[in-house]
Amino acid sequence: MPAPRSSSTPAFRRGPDAARYFDHRAATGRAVEMLVSAELDLLWSNAAALALMSRGGPVRLSDDRLILPSRRQEDGLRSFLAGLDEGVAVWALQADGGWIVRAEAVTPAETPPAWLLTWQPMADPDRYLWADIGAHLRLTPSETRILRNLVDGLAVDQIADKLEVSIQTA
């Protein structure tokens, strides 16, 4: 009787042209995507991210490192990433009308931590695109309310007051 196959790791077959698909995505993808280290060093980005950084949007590049509008925001992003061990989470950046930054931990074995960041503008015309953000990110209704208030520019203490919850809860 043959030994049972382990179901913990699915079989993966890499086609000979797999790299071409990723190169194509990096060149033509419209979503702003970048891979960063814990110190916000840029490890990889697609063309949309390079365009955003070159036109002086909410993030720019200096010596291969992301620069946000303020040091406080950079520290906030670093702290957010440090607290994200696995999975996906979102972070709100108040700059140029507001941005939602989706972060996903991407750390192969025996490598330093890194995160794939996807940037989505939250200007008023774009808000309808995120009407279902809570469901998309598997947030509870309370978490969704807090996220929407962050995107609207409220600080955590203001959100806590508005929603009548503690700052720790917010």
Side-chain angles (χ1 to χ4, degrees):
M1 181 163 150
R5 287 185 62 176
S6 170
S7 62
S8 63
T9 305
F12 175 73
R13 187 172 146 304
R14 181 176 161 181
D17 294 327
R20 290 178 59 196
Y21 288 98
F22 288 101
D23 290 343
H24 177 75
R25 179 179 175 89
T28 63
R30 288 193 255 172
V32 174
E33 296 176 321
M34 57 186 72
L35 187 67
V36 300
S37 71
E39 289 303 312
L40 303 183
D41 295 318
L42 185 67
L43 305 174
W44 173 89
S45 70
N46 66 0
L50 292 174
L52 176 71
M53 291 183 285
S54 70
R55 70 174 180 253
V59 62
R60 62 184 175 82
L61 195 59
S62 177
D63 295 324
D64 293 328
R65 188 176 163 275
L66 297 185
I67 305 296
L68 297 176
S70 75
R71 177 73 176 184
R72 184 174 156 211
Q73 291 169 326
E74 288 179 25
D75 292 343
L77 180 56
R78 269 193 222 88
S79 295
F80 166 73
L81 294 175
L84 180 64
D85 294 331
E86 293 181 3
V88 175
V90 295
W91 183 72
L93 173 65
Q94 285 303 310
D96 299 336
W99 290 78
I100 291 289
V101 181
R102 178 188 184 274
E104 180 177 354
V106 180
T107 307
E110 299 179 25
T111 62
W115 296 267
L116 179 65
L117 305 181
T118 305
W119 297 69
Q120 175 65 42
M122 292 299 295
D124 286 333
D126 297 317
R127 288 187 187 271
Y128 77 92
L129 294 173
W130 288 91
D132 63 346
I133 191 167
H136 177 71
L137 297 171
R138 297 187 183 122
L139 300 176
T140 66
S142 296
E143 291 168 333
T144 302
R145 280 191 295 278
I146 290 169
L147 176 60
R148 287 186 182 180
N149 280 287
L150 284 170
V151 170
D152 285 339
L154 295 178
V156 174
D157 58 338
Q158 294 170 315
I159 295 168
D161 287 343
K162 181 179 176 180
L163 300 178
E164 299 178 351
V165 297
S166 71
I167 291 175
Q168 291 80 9
T169 298

